[in-house]
Amino acid sequence: MSFFIEFIYEDNLIFERISKLINYVKKKKDLNKLDCDDPTILDFYNKDELNYFWWPTEQEIKDFWEFYYSTPEESRYLHLIDKPWDFESVIDAITTGEYEIIGCEIGENGIGRLCFEPWSYPYGGIEPLEQLIKPFNIKIIRVYK
């Protein structure tokens, strides 16, 4: 049995778009050519969906890391709670994640699955895969890892 992220989607068009995105990312990851500078990945999202991600300016990145490193180590995670993932970090984390993306499956009653197979443990976690599909206004209901 594969590991998976199970989610509820609004309609079949949304699932189709997610599936196409996942198939594209899988293909690029399998070829070791997944890159956050690939403009094709952005084409899978509409403008509102892209706004889900943080698109920091150079100054915002500089300020973020200055604050992060000036914060005591034990409370740094509090600084991260309110920050959405930036798109580059999502793609980079998927690129380096030690797992194979299998693809998406349609379940019953508007439930979909994003399936993956870890190569090792730890494998880098599933949050980047979740962040990749959350902009589609889906609700993650179960994770099997």
Side-chain angles (χ1 to χ4, degrees):
M1 175 183 220
S2 292
F3 290 51
F4 60 82
I5 301 166
E6 205 166 60
F7 58 94
I8 297 173
Y9 55 93
E10 289 181 12
D11 60 48
N12 289 341
L13 180 60
I14 294 291
F15 180 83
E16 210 175 285
R17 291 177 58 223
I18 291 170
S19 186
K20 286 179 181 177
L21 168 64
I22 295 303
N23 287 339
Y24 183 82
V25 169
K26 171 190 174 23
K27 178 180 151 191
K28 291 294 190 170
K29 181 174 174 60
D30 289 351
L31 295 170
N32 291 319
K33 293 188 176 187
L34 184 58
D35 185 345
C36 63
D37 292 327
D38 179 352
T40 303
I41 297 174
L42 298 176
D43 293 340
F44 289 97
Y45 298 95
N46 66 35
K47 185 179 178 182
D48 289 337
E49 292 160 351
L50 286 172
N51 286 333
Y52 174 85
F53 299 104
W54 182 38
W55 300 93
T57 63
E58 286 185 37
Q59 185 61 50
E60 288 172 323
I61 292 170
K62 182 178 180 241
D63 293 346
F64 174 88
W65 288 112
E66 280 180 10
F67 184 79
Y68 180 82
Y69 287 118
S70 69
T71 304
E73 209 170 311
E74 61 277 359
S75 56
R76 285 182 182 163
Y77 73 95
L78 294 171
H79 178 57
L80 300 174
I81 290 173
D82 294 333
K83 283 279 185 239
W85 279 61
D86 64 278
F87 188 76
E88 185 175 328
S89 294
V90 170
I91 299 302
D92 184 57
I94 292 170
T95 300
T96 59
E98 294 186 6
Y99 50 81
E100 176 185 4
I101 298 171
I102 306 300
C104 287
E105 301 174 351
I106 292 181
E108 295 179 18
N109 302 323
I111 295 175
R113 281 187 177 172
L114 191 171
C115 301
F116 63 98
E117 204 59 58
W119 296 326
S120 64
Y121 186 83
Y123 55 87
I126 60 158
E127 194 171 359
L129 290 172
E130 292 176 334
Q131 294 301 313
L132 189 68
I133 64 174
K134 276 186 174 180
F136 292 96
N137 199 28
I138 54 102
K139 179 180 180 186
I140 294 175
I141 55 172
R142 186 166 71 137
V143 174
Y144 179 79
K145 55 182 182 168

